[in-house]
Amino acid sequence: MRRKIITQMKILVAEDDANIRMGLVDTLESEGYQVIHSADGNRAMTVFKAHSFDLVLLDIMTPEKSGYDVFSRPQRGGLKPGQSLERGVGD
């Protein structure tokens, strides 16, 4: 049984690997979340500044601008309480 989401959460997915990005987008949308996605750091930065998100899933090593750049921009105020920036390194 799927749980009903009372308010639709908005999620930003920034990932340059299309298979990972679209897998995340498809999964999240199937659960009822509103998802905006980006394949590079410049677009992620533009979208991040223009919208308010409940959750941001951000690849640290995106083309153009890194994930660190997206979260540390002064226009956005950097990280807010309850947000975190995590790094995962794969082979």
Side-chain angles (χ1 to χ4, degrees):
M1 179 173 159
R2 291 196 177 189
R3 63 192 142 98
K4 189 174 184 176
I5 299 173
I6 297 171
T7 57
Q8 190 176 40
M9 292 180 65
K10 189 185 295 185
I11 300 172
L12 170 61
V13 174
E15 168 62 60
D16 59 321
D17 183 306
N19 290 325
I20 294 171
R21 184 178 65 254
M22 295 316 297
L24 287 167
V25 169
D26 290 345
T27 300
L28 292 167
E29 287 180 342
S30 74
E31 292 295 324
Y33 297 103
Q34 180 184 359
V35 182
I36 297 176
H37 60 93
S38 168
D40 67 71
N42 278 336
R43 170 131 166 76
M45 176 78 75
T46 300
V47 171
F48 188 65
K49 290 190 303 185
H51 299 274
S52 178
F53 292 94
D54 299 295
L55 177 67
V56 176
L57 301 175
L58 181 61
D59 182 359
I60 296 302
M61 297 185 287
T62 55
E64 308 297 327
K65 290 195 182 306
S66 75
Y68 295 115
D69 291 333
V70 174
F71 256 133
S72 66
R73 299 307 298 174
Q75 305 93 308
R76 191 68 175 141
L79 292 172
K80 304 277 190 277
Q83 293 178 324
S84 66
L85 187 60
E86 297 186 23
R87 179 175 174 214
V89 177
D91 294 336

